Each structure stands twice: as structure tokens, then as C-alpha cells.
Amino acid sequence: MKQYRNRTTRRRPNINAREKYANPFEIGYSKRKKNSSFAKILTVMAIAFFVIIAGMLFFANGQDYINEKFGEDSFLGSIFAKISKNNSAKKQGPEFNLPFGPRRENILLLGVDSNGADSDLWVGTRTDTIILMNIDPKTKTVNAISIPRDSKVYLPDGMGTQKINAAHAIGGIKMTVKTIEDTLGVKIDRYIMFHDEGVKEVVKALGGVDIYIEKNMHYDDYAGKLHINFKKGKHRLTDKDVVEYLRFRHDANGDIGRTKRQQWFLRGLLADLKKPETVIKIPKIVSVTSKYVKTDMTPYEMTQYAALATHFDMDNIEIAMLPGAPNKHGYISYWILDPEKTQKVVDRLIYRQKTDVAKEHYSASIMSSPDKKAEANKLVKALENNGIKVICSGSTNSTHSQFIAHSDYVTVDYYAKLKKEIPEVKSQQFVYQPDSYPCADTDFTIILAGN
């Protein structure tokens, strides 16, 4: 039986460095149908599930409401009874009583497509969204690594070289878990899978989601019956619109751009879930998730994660995508993982390794949209007055503000300290990106996006 190392000891990702610039090839699985389902937003669905539970508890007067809607002896009724008991005892004991103790857990989030049949939703489906979350109950923090679905990996059991999203179609959840464990050198504790139809149904239940679309999107696929026609700007996306928005990949960024749009959709969905009027829609949303969610978590574990999720701070969630480069062989596109940089991402976000010392001097880049030039100039002066050298200032057409850490010395803790010392540094999505620099080779980049 395979033995895993102690969690404090990392195992190197199983990536052949010689393949970094090799021409890739594909073995053993058929082409995906053009009308296959849209890209999944797994992080959205996982956190949404937890937010739904918390919302039902805190906005609907707790247990009486749940018993009335679902029944006292129902699955959800038992969940909320335990949450209510924990919530009422907050001041008398610890906030969480996780069944696995205070140690960190690795949760694998998978979004699966349609298999084109009316049979089992989970058989023969590809995992088009793969996110590995590391949850630390002690610090109440979450790190998340997005794994591009086109990543070229070795599948176990002699299945050869494949795209990572083929593992589930070939060998189900067991092969998917083993592939990721072997590739990244990690131990996966639990998994949660969501079917793509669930995303559509949740948006339908909410009556739409507010999204700012960063560019004009136009694409027609008559064979696949896909027609995308969005203009740049604010939109209230319907369930049909969301399918088109999340499937769009026909620009210079390809599938990597689609992965980033999943993150923006996440924030838009969470904003809608937090609205008070959402409470009356919760029964419908819960019925959707119960149909389209598959997990190896017990109900008790779900209640504990739900309680923990109420303490998550979106500004303290560190995210990263596995570094690499696109490579195409004929009609087949791959994402070739960079071994060294992938190791750095895993060490930082999964094993939570930190540098013991701080740098004496930091450098920064500032990217801003045209309507944020004045704010950018003010930020440059504030940073330089605090001893941070601004090496590069540039323009961007991005519509999403970010704080991007390039150096290992720039952590979430450093960012929190920076915001306190320099009020001009606002709260933004924190991203670890060691493989590319929007402006220059600096310790971090601040993107000030406008409309």
C-alpha cells in the first residue's frame, strides 16, 4: 500500500523537466464533442454551498425555519440542528470542533461536464475545472491552486500521457485523485464534485448574477449551437448567459482566460448570495446542490466546514494557477507545467512554507487603467515614501483590480501589514504568480482597474 510522507515534508511534483519544451502528444481518448458543457466554476459552487448553509442559519431564524421547509428529521434539518447548537455555544467553547482536528486539509474541487446521456451524471465525464484547496482551521484561511484542464500529465495504471481532465473520464474519481497526488506530491483528504448543470440551475434560482464583462465577446459555433454576443460592461447574466460567458475561450488567452473569468464569476455569485433577498430562494438552491453535488464528506464534516466558511475573508484567500506554457501539437493543445515554478506554488500554498526573513528593500510595479491614473500616481508616491521602489508604471485594460505577489517574501501577512501602513493600498484579490510579470521583474504588482 502506498505510504504518504508526513505533511510537513513535501514530495516533489512528478513533472519531467525535459518535457517542458517538448512537442506533446496525446494517447487513448476520443475528441470532446463540440457541444460539451461549459467550463465549471468549482470554487464558486463549493463556497456557495457553505454560504447557503450559513445564510439559512443566520437570515432565517435558524432551526424553526429549516424544520418547516425540510422536516425535522431531514438531512438538512440534522445539519442545521448541529450548526445551531455550535452557534449558541460560541461564547462557551471553541468555535469549531472539526472531526479531523486542527490540522490542515486538502480538498479537491472538481467540475464535471455532461456525458451526453441521461444515465449516471458522474460516469464518463471530464473534469474541466480542477481546484485544490488547502484549508487551515487554526488560522481560518484558505489557499487555492487552479490546475489548467489541459495540463499534460502521466496517468496511473499504464494509461500514458494525457490531459489531466481525462483522468475522471477514464478511471473516475480514484484515478483523478491519484493523478493529482502523484503529479503534485500531495495528499488529498476529501473531494467535492459539481455537475455543470448545477451552476446553471443555481443562477436560474437566483434570477441572474451581476458580472462586469471585461471585453467584447463574439463567437458563433453553429454545429455546437453556441452563440456568444456580449459587449464590454456591466451585465445581469441569466442562466443561459452564464453558459455562454463561461464557455468563451476564443481570444488570445484561450483556456487560461476562461479560468480567470471563473474567478470573476465567483465574486459576482458570492455577492448575490449575500443579499438579504436571497433567503427566499435558498430552498431551491439547496435542492439544486443536493442533486448535482457528489462528495466523500459526511454530513457532520459538512456542518463543520459550513461553520468554518462563515469566517473566511475573501481578501485573505491566496490563489494561484499552476505555472506553465501553452503548447500545441496538431489540433491538440496542452499546458506544459513548469517543474520548478510548480514546486514553488505547491510549497507555498499547500505546505505553507514561508521565508524566515524579510527583505530589506522591496520593489513594485503599478498597472492602471486610464481613469485610474491619478490614483496610480498617488499610490506610487505613497509606496516610495515608505521605502518601496516603484520600478515600472504601465497601462492596463483590465477591469479587475489585483495584488499580485511574485516574490516569496510577499505573503498575505506582508500584504495586510502594507495596507495598514499605506492607506493608498486597498483591499484586492491576492494572487501568487511567480511565472510572469505584467510590467517588470518586481516583488509585487498592483493592478488598478477601472470600467
Side-chain angles (χ1 to χ4, degrees):
M1 181 178 291
K2 183 176 180 180
Q3 297 295 321
Y4 292 99
R5 299 186 184 183
N6 186 284
R7 291 175 185 276
T8 59
T9 305
R10 64 176 171 80
R11 297 186 291 136
R12 290 189 61 81
N14 182 22
I15 304 169
N16 189 339
R18 292 176 298 179
E19 286 195 31
K20 182 177 178 181
Y21 303 105
N23 287 327
F25 58 93
E26 185 175 42
I27 300 176
Y29 64 89
S30 61
K31 292 182 179 179
R32 185 182 180 185
K33 294 182 179 179
K34 289 184 178 180
N35 63 346
S36 60
S37 301
F38 59 93
K40 266 56 68 195
I41 179 60
L42 230 296
T43 300
V44 173
M45 291 301 296
I47 297 179
F49 182 77
F50 297 141
V51 171
I52 289 166
I53 294 176
M56 293 180 76
L57 177 64
F58 296 115
F59 290 126
N61 296 321
Q63 193 66 36
D64 291 340
Y65 176 84
I66 304 305
N67 292 343
E68 178 184 350
K69 291 294 182 181
F70 301 99
E72 185 175 354
D73 298 326
S74 67
F75 169 77
L76 289 172
S78 62
I79 286 180
F80 293 115
K82 293 175 182 177
I83 295 180
S84 298
K85 182 178 180 180
N86 290 342
N87 189 53
S88 63
K90 275 184 178 180
K91 297 181 180 179
Q92 302 174 10
E95 293 179 352
F96 312 112
N97 184 26
L98 294 174
F100 36 76
R103 67 181 176 85
R104 296 191 298 269
E105 292 278 299
N106 293 326
I107 311 298
L108 182 62
L109 310 177
L110 302 170
V112 301
D113 63 6
S114 172
N115 56 14
D118 295 328
S119 56
D120 195 322
L121 295 175
W122 313 105
V123 174
T125 54
R126 298 180 185 275
T127 50
D128 279 356
T129 296
I130 309 170
I131 299 174
L132 182 60
M133 290 177 57
N134 180 266
I135 299 178
D136 189 342
K138 185 175 181 180
T139 61
K140 306 180 186 68
T141 57
V142 179
N143 292 341
I145 297 178
S146 177
I147 304 174
R149 67 175 192 164
D150 290 344
S151 298
K152 184 184 178 184
V153 298
Y154 298 103
L155 297 190
D157 302 330
M159 298 309 299
T161 306
Q162 304 274 6
K163 291 184 179 182
I164 198 169
N165 74 333
H168 190 264
I170 295 173
I173 185 62
K174 289 184 178 180
M175 180 173 285
T176 301
V177 168
K178 183 171 175 52
T179 298
I180 295 173
E181 288 182 335
D182 291 347
T183 300
L184 301 184
V186 300
K187 172 68 171 68
I188 294 173
D189 299 289
R190 299 287 187 272
Y191 72 84
I192 306 175
M193 288 197 294
F194 293 89
H195 197 276
D196 63 357
E197 281 297 315
V199 180
K200 180 179 177 181
E201 291 300 320
V202 166
V203 173
K204 185 176 181 180
L206 285 172
V209 172
D210 291 322
I211 297 290
Y212 189 93
I213 296 180
E214 73 276 12
K215 64 178 72 176
N216 292 334
M217 297 180 181
H218 303 289
Y219 177 73
D220 290 295
D221 179 359
Y222 293 95
K225 298 180 181 180
L226 175 64
H227 304 283
I228 301 173
N229 187 22
F230 294 119
K231 290 185 178 181
K232 177 180 177 180
K234 295 180 179 179
H235 292 262
R236 179 73 177 177
L237 299 185
T238 66
D239 54 314
K240 178 179 178 294
D241 295 333
V242 165
V243 175
E244 298 170 355
Y245 175 71
L246 294 178
R247 287 184 66 181
F248 184 79
R249 60 182 293 182
H250 303 278
D251 58 10
N253 296 321
D255 196 59
I256 301 305
R258 180 167 62 175
T259 299
K260 292 181 178 180
R261 280 189 285 276
Q262 293 175 355
Q263 299 171 4
W264 310 133
F265 177 58
L266 162 64
R267 299 182 80 89
L269 180 58
L270 285 177
D272 270 25
L273 285 170
K274 291 179 180 179
K275 294 178 180 178
E277 58 267 27
T278 299
V279 66
I280 63 174
K281 306 170 184 177
I282 285 175
K284 175 62 176 177
I285 297 173
V286 171
S287 68
V288 169
T289 58
S290 64
K291 179 179 179 180
Y292 293 107
V293 176
K294 181 179 179 180
T295 181
D296 61 349
M297 290 186 186
T298 66
Y300 177 68
E301 288 172 328
M302 276 291 190
T303 64
Q304 300 305 306
Y305 276 115
L308 179 59
T310 62
H311 292 261
F312 289 162
D313 183 348
M314 289 297 292
D315 290 333
N316 290 333
I317 295 179
E318 184 170 356
I319 66 173
M321 185 176 69
L322 286 186
N327 200 321
K328 194 168 186 178
H329 182 68
Y331 293 101
I332 303 172
S333 298
Y334 285 97
W335 183 254
I336 307 300
L337 299 175
D338 183 300
E340 289 77 19
K341 292 176 180 176
T342 293
Q343 179 71 68
K344 290 180 65 176
V345 169
V346 172
D347 285 347
R348 175 168 171 146
L349 274 71
I350 302 301
Y351 289 100
R352 306 254 183 165
Q353 293 184 1
K354 296 182 179 180
T355 57
D356 296 329
V357 296
K359 288 187 69 175
E360 186 176 353
H361 301 290
Y362 288 84
S363 60
S365 298
I366 308 296
M367 303 289 289
S368 60
S369 59
D371 60 327
K372 295 289 185 178
K373 291 299 181 183
E375 184 178 334
N377 292 334
K378 186 178 180 181
L379 178 59
V380 169
K381 293 180 180 179
L383 291 172
E384 291 183 337
N385 288 339
N386 281 266
I388 298 173
K389 186 176 182 180
V390 179
I391 295 178
C392 177
S393 296
S395 298
T396 179
N397 58 1
S398 174
T399 55
H400 302 285
S401 297
Q402 290 181 319
F403 184 94
I404 304 175
H406 306 298
S407 166
D408 291 338
Y409 295 98
V410 180
T411 63
V412 172
D413 293 336
Y414 171 81
Y415 181 41
K417 181 174 177 289
L418 194 67
K419 288 186 289 184
K420 289 182 179 180
E421 295 177 347
I422 308 176
E424 289 81 3
V425 178
K426 308 293 176 55
S427 293
Q428 298 173 344
Q429 183 186 51
F430 188 96
V431 179
Y432 178 54
Q433 185 174 298
D435 59 327
S436 62
Y437 305 89
C439 192
D441 185 348
T442 56
D443 291 308
F444 62 87
T445 299
I446 297 178
I447 296 180
L448 302 175
N451 295 333

